[in-house]
Amino acid sequence: MTPLGNSASQPTKHNVPMPGKVVPNSGIFARDATLIRPKTNSWRLPMSASRIQQLADEARLLLKGNPLMASSVSLQRVATRNLLKRRFQYGRTLAAASKLAGCSAGVEALSGYFPDLADGGYTRLPELPPAVAGPVGADPYRSSVLAAWMGALARSLEWQAARPDVQVVGRYLQPDLIAADLELERQPACRLSCGIGLVHIESPARSRIMQALLRQCMPDYPRPGYPITDDAELDRIADHLEKAFALIADLDEYGHQRLIAGLHTLYVGVRREPQCSFSSSNELPGSALIVLSRERLCAGDHAATAAQLLHEAGNILLGFYTTSAAASLPGEFQYVSPYKKDLQTLESILHTAYTIPWECALRMACLSTETDPERRAWKTAFIIAYAARQVPLIDIARKGIERLGGDVLLDLPDIAAIPSWSSRILFLVSQLLAEEPIAHRQAHLAERQRVLDRQAWDIGQMLLRGKEPIDPRMGRREIDDSGDNVSLWYDGKFHVIAKTPDHAMGEDYGHYAATIRGNAPSQMEAI
């Protein structure tokens, strides 16, 4: 059979529908994907329990080979490098703000949260002694609240580089508001047994500073009309998450350790729609946003939540790894992701190539725990459909890594293993596909071809707009004299693609491009 993945060959957010349902324009199915909903009365008998267990065991073995599951010593070094980089950035920001008349009291109050920078330490950065990162909950440089306020302060200074306005800068030096936000993080509504705190997502949404980052991570939540998470619902969420964490500990021990080592806070909420939302950002270190549907809580689908938690663990770990490096990944938007319409950076491609296969492997490992045949069939179809878009993506990731300069790859050696590890997971998914009834298998393979055809179409739209996306499956192409059509070979198939007026690059591209250019006044206005 034709394998789903080629065995030789991403901030952050995703809304995931319940297995067996198609949610138009939502998350992984936003690109015309079709989720095959299997029927239990198929002519072919379902997989045997022994075969399900065998595939689940193989998935668990792949989870142990996670390329970024470095030793504790290596991760400690990464954490320390992050601390030192943030210390330098925060120190420079505080020093710049301290030069403005009327800001010294606010600067001193904010610097007091960082022992090395307190009492004017931010003015003596070259003299500061070496430091070693502590646990995630005790490291002020991994506080999402302090990072949000420091980031806002830095942007206020950058946007007014020529002549900073004391009144504008002073908005980001308000000790009482900072303390109130920090209290939510340090005194959460409740804690899981692993020590991670749970905070009602509605609470930081009321903060002037935090709300802008929450909207960036999860634009559709919270908003008027959404259910408020009361104490009873918080208890249900906590119970659900406890069981999801326990499942992760059983199936992916090292992933469980990294999840706990990378998080101190989960901002949680509920929604009426069937899909759930999970998100994280480098700008909110040590935390993630989770909005669970009431349907998920009632169904008790702990396996789906566990998989999505590891997806965010992957985003956090990879982001932590890349931000610690001395040599940054290139920031050009040169890659088309099969999961998005926009041009993406290599780092965004790597996030997707790393986290989704990890999530798929955990979902496969959980199949043996699902006793209901129909639900297991739905979950199997979900895994296969979810992984289909990785087919071109993993080769794109590999090509991007090949193009890196030597210094970058020497500084970030573990990312080179991401495409190969992800390909092994895709190969295992192809074995899962081989167990499907013929009709379902053909439908999944047809969906894979639709993914490739859509990828070719998106690349064609970018070429017609003067962009030069990089994709190793792309062959010869030629734009006609009118500039409205392109002939393109993609994955050995010939396409003639007409330019469409409604394929403008989306909001994500605009936001990230503005961030890189360092001129995003709309974000300042939102704050």
Side-chain angles (χ1 to χ4, degrees), residues 331-387:
E332 295 82 7
F333 292 83
Q334 294 183 285
Y335 306 90
V336 176
S337 168
Y339 292 87
K340 292 178 178 286
K341 295 180 180 179
D342 294 341
L343 285 169
Q344 301 290 307
T345 64
L346 174 58
E347 181 158 5
S348 176
I349 292 292
L350 287 175
H351 271 274
T352 310
Y354 179 52
T355 59
I356 290 178
W358 189 356
E359 183 180 346
C360 287
L362 196 283
R363 288 179 183 271
M364 287 189 68
C366 291
L367 285 179
S368 59
T369 67
E370 180 56 70
T371 57
D372 182 273
E374 186 175 5
R375 286 181 62 83
R376 186 166 62 238
W378 293 353
K379 291 181 177 183
T380 297
F382 181 93
I383 293 167
I384 296 169
Y386 199 13

Side-chain angles (χ1 to χ4, degrees), residues 188-246:
C190 71
R191 288 192 183 276
L192 301 178
S193 59
C194 62
I196 294 175
L198 303 186
V199 175
H200 295 274
I201 197 170
E202 296 87 2
S203 298
R206 291 190 287 267
S207 163
R208 286 196 305 112
I209 300 302
M210 298 293 287
Q211 67 180 227
L213 292 177
L214 294 183
R215 282 199 302 268
Q216 178 182 318
C217 291
M218 206 173 284
D220 66 335
Y221 193 95
R223 66 185 183 201
Y226 270 47
I228 300 298
T229 315
D230 58 25
D231 290 341
E233 204 125 45
L234 184 66
D235 289 341
R236 295 178 63 198
I237 292 173
D239 180 68
H240 183 89
L241 291 175
E242 288 282 12
K243 292 173 181 175
F245 271 82

Side-chain angles (χ1 to χ4, degrees), residues 22 29 31-37 381 385 389 443-444 447 450:
V22 177
F29 297 106
R31 298 283 305 279
D32 307 324
T34 301
L35 177 56
I36 296 88
R37 181 170 182 150
R389 293 164 190 260
H444 278 298
E447 173 58 24
R450 282 193 292 273

Side-chain angles (χ1 to χ4, degrees), residues 108 266 465:
E108 286 302 315
L266 293 175
R465 286 162 173 77

Side-chain angles (χ1 to χ4, degrees), residues 10 68 85 282 318-319 321-335 345-351 397 400-405 407-416 418 516:
Q10 288 243 322
L68 294 189
K85 287 187 74 171
N282 284 340
L318 181 56
Y321 186 71
T322 55
T323 55
S324 74
S328 299
L329 290 172
E332 295 82 7
F333 292 83
Q334 294 183 285
Y335 306 90
T345 64
L346 174 58
E347 181 158 5
S348 176
I349 292 292
L350 287 175
H351 271 274
I401 290 173
E402 288 174 355
R403 299 178 69 250
L404 288 177
D407 290 344
V408 177
L409 206 52
L410 284 173
D411 205 29
L412 299 169
D414 294 338
I415 64 172
I418 288 176
I516 284 180

